[in-house]
């Protein structure tokens, strides 16, 4: 018999997280999202994804810019979100300064309520490092299966579109379902 080195599952899970934030890395997010998607597809249960940005508003050369949060403030935001999410929800890095949540068994209405709870928590008191709510830029976009789409790539594209709309309109939370009519109307103009 050969003895193979064993690794505890907690060590493995930690290797899928970024050490500086404790959040899952982007490839782990995609893997877990796909697994959850297939689980929800088989059980005919809903699934929602929230893509979001939390940035610091600053000035550079007299121009207002959005900057990544300092480490302490980001960790505080992660702790606040983690305290609100369920054990089955997954918090991860998305793009360079974007983040995402996978919400199994959650319809669009539940995702909207949850996103608004996160916004309230982040704005309720200053983030670590005394970052006041007035110095934060928040943008949350969400899409759901099967309410918005039934395929995974469209789900992520819809969440991306919703978070872009959130940034443009300065509405903290935008749901893809609220954009659907505008998107469908624009695409029919080009037919």
């Amino acid at each position: 018999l050969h003895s193979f080195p064993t690794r505890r599952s907690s060590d493995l899970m930690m290797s899928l997280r970024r050490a500086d934030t404790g959040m899952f890395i982007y490839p782990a997010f995609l893997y877990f999202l796909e697994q959850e998607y297939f689980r929800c597809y088989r059980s005919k249960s809903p699934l929602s994804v929230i893509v979001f940005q939390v940035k610091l508003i600053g000035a550079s050369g007299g121009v207002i810019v959005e900057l990544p949060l300092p480490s302490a403030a980001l960790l505080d935001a992660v702790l606040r979100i983690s305290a609100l999410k369920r054990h089955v929800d997954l918090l991860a890095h998305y793009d360079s300064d974007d983040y995402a949540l996978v919400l199994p068994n959650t319809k669009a209405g539940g995702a909207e309520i949850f996103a608004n709870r996160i916004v309230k928590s982040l704005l309720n008191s200053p983030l670590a490092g005394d970052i006041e709510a007035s110095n934060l830029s928040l943008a949350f976009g969400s899409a759901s299966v099967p309410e918005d789409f039934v395929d995974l790539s469209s789900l992520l594209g819809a969440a991306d579109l919703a978070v872009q709309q959130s940034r443009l309109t300065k509405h903290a939370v935008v749901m893809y379902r609220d954009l659907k009519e505008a998107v469908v109307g624009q695409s029919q103009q080009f037919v």
Side-chain angles (χ1 to χ4, degrees):
L1 292 174
H2 297 290
S3 74
F4 293 100
T6 58
R7 210 172 174 189
R8 294 189 353 224
S9 64
S10 61
D11 292 340
L12 178 61
M13 289 303 276
M14 288 311 293
S15 72
L16 298 176
R17 297 176 186 262
R18 277 198 18 196
D20 60 333
T21 63
M23 286 189 279
F24 284 101
I25 59 176
Y26 181 65
F29 162 75
L30 292 177
Y31 173 77
F32 289 126
L33 175 61
E34 183 179 58
Q35 295 304 305
E36 201 57 53
Y37 170 77
F38 288 127
R39 187 176 298 117
C40 289
Y41 180 80
R42 284 190 305 273
S43 66
K44 298 187 182 335
S45 58
L47 170 69
S48 292
V49 172
I50 298 174
V51 175
F52 65 98
Q53 299 175 340
V54 180
K55 297 202 175 188
L56 178 65
I57 299 170
S60 177
V63 177
I64 295 176
V65 294
E66 292 181 348
L67 306 165
L69 285 179
S71 297
L74 179 57
L75 285 175
D76 188 9
V78 168
L79 289 173
R80 291 181 193 194
I81 294 167
S82 295
L84 294 173
K85 75 177 194 62
R86 301 169 300 180
H87 180 69
V88 296
D89 299 336
L90 182 115
L91 177 60
H93 288 269
Y94 189 67
D95 277 336
S96 58
D97 293 322
D98 292 358
Y99 311 99
L101 283 153
V102 177
L103 307 173
N105 299 311
T106 306
K107 293 182 178 181
E112 183 175 24
I113 290 167
F114 183 57
N116 280 308
R117 286 180 62 209
I118 292 171
V119 168
K120 184 177 178 182
S121 175
L122 295 175
L123 298 178
N124 215 14
S125 60
L127 289 175
D130 296 326
I131 296 178
E132 296 289 335
S134 61
N135 294 330
L136 289 177
S137 172
L138 304 177
F140 286 73
S142 182
S144 301
V145 166
E147 293 166 282
D148 298 321
F149 290 100
V150 292
D151 64 289
L152 195 52
S153 61
S154 296
L155 177 70
L156 285 177
D160 279 335
L161 184 63
V163 78
Q164 289 173 18
Q165 189 67 18
S166 174
R167 289 189 70 205
L168 287 173
T169 62
K170 303 294 184 200
H171 290 151
V173 177
V174 172
M175 306 301 292
Y176 179 76
R177 67 176 182 213
D178 299 331
L179 303 176
K180 262 198 269 196
E181 290 179 21
V183 170
V184 171
Q186 287 177 350
S187 66
Q188 288 177 349
Q189 290 177 356
F190 298 107
V191 175

